[in-house]
Amino acid sequence: MEDQDHRSKVDGTSVFDEDLYAVSLLNMGAKLGGHSVIVVEGLRRTEAMFPELFVGQYDIRAEALPGQQDGSLANVKGYITAVIVRETNEYAKTDRYDIEERYRNATSSTWLVPRLEVLKMIADIKTRSLEIKALYDAALNGAGRYDELPHYQKFGSRAAKNDHNSAATPAENCTTWCINELKIAGVEIDEPLLNKLFAKPEKNAKVAAGGSLSGVLKK
């Protein structure tokens, strides 16, 4: 497998392998603020003779509280109801959906991160996914309460403090969730980078990595 096969489909310049994975923070939304997603690209050993492509995409799903369903720029509040884990050995493509094109067109920033650090992050994401699924299922079945789920707030922890976003139970949004998970892999996101990524989505904008990087090769 040649190097061009190892290039990230997100930014086209990062070359990943079995030891260094390309980890990207993407703004996949078309609206102001967008939607934050973590994408991981790497190679992993299998029973096959050659390493296999690994593509992981991770984000959250939230449900708004009653009366907060309009999806406007209001500070929508609710609960995180799922951590979405998508892992495959290919870039999905159908007649109606081309993930490579979506990755290329998303505003993004990419880092090359040691595989073991990435695996720590993925393990935490999967643990949280199972925990939230159990809480959500219990709430749906009447065996639990919705307020036991992680709090969601459209503007996240930057919003003015209120009953839904207190110091004891800080509310997250898709961006703050991604930031906290990336920290586990050693990626610290700074404010200037966030402003570039999410203030105004721009097609195919690739943003230079910013912040404090621990054990990470900056792209």
Side-chain angles (χ1 to χ4, degrees):
M1 192 177 292
E2 299 179 357
D3 278 350
Q4 59 261 32
D5 295 326
H6 299 178
R7 289 192 181 276
S8 167
K9 302 301 184 184
V10 177
D11 72 349
T13 64
S14 299
V15 179
F16 57 81
D17 55 28
E18 294 176 69
D19 299 314
L20 285 176
Y21 280 17
V23 178
S24 302
L25 175 60
L26 287 76
N27 178 2
M28 299 282 281
K31 299 179 180 179
L32 181 65
H35 178 63
S36 301
V37 173
I38 295 173
V39 171
V40 173
E41 301 163 284
L43 298 176
R44 59 183 175 185
R45 286 288 180 183
T46 65
E47 295 180 356
M49 181 179 300
F50 299 104
E52 179 181 77
L53 175 67
F54 172 79
V55 182
Q57 181 176 311
Y58 312 93
D59 62 330
I60 63 170
R61 178 187 300 142
E63 291 184 6
L65 293 169
Q68 294 275 333
Q69 303 288 346
D70 59 5
S72 68
L73 288 177
N75 192 21
V76 177
K77 298 181 288 291
Y79 299 102
I80 296 173
T81 57
V83 173
I84 310 300
V85 176
R86 302 178 181 90
E87 295 179 341
T88 182
N89 61 357
E90 62 182 1
Y91 297 97
K93 185 174 183 178
T94 67
D95 292 339
R96 301 179 61 184
Y97 187 85
D98 187 340
I99 196 63
E100 288 188 37
E101 183 178 358
R102 292 201 67 192
Y103 286 170
R104 285 195 301 268
N105 290 337
T107 304
S108 63
S109 192
T110 300
W111 300 263
L112 289 175
V113 184
R115 177 179 62 89
L116 293 180
E117 300 304 309
V118 179
L119 293 181
K120 291 177 186 176
M121 178 189 72
I122 292 174
D124 184 77
I125 290 172
K126 290 181 176 180
T127 296
R128 294 191 68 184
S129 179
L130 292 173
E131 291 172 349
I132 291 175
K133 183 180 186 306
L135 290 172
Y136 187 52
D137 287 348
L140 287 176
N141 296 329
R145 303 191 313 272
Y146 283 97
D147 61 9
E148 294 176 328
L149 288 160
H151 288 189
Y152 170 85
Q153 191 156 283
K154 185 171 183 177
F155 296 155
S157 57
R158 298 184 186 184
K161 293 291 186 275
N162 55 42
D163 290 341
H164 204 68
N165 186 20
S166 65
T169 56
E172 287 191 299
N173 59 19
C174 55
T175 302
T176 58
W177 180 85
C178 287
I179 290 172
N180 289 331
E181 290 299 335
L182 288 168
K183 285 180 181 178
I184 298 174
V187 178
E188 295 279 350
I189 308 293
D190 63 14
E191 194 75 15
L193 174 60
L194 278 182
N195 291 337
K196 291 177 182 177
L197 281 171
F198 300 104
K200 182 180 180 181
E202 297 179 13
K203 185 176 180 180
N204 201 29
K206 305 307 171 187
V207 181
S212 173
L213 307 178
S214 174
V216 180
L217 300 181
K218 186 168 69 174
K219 291 299 295 178

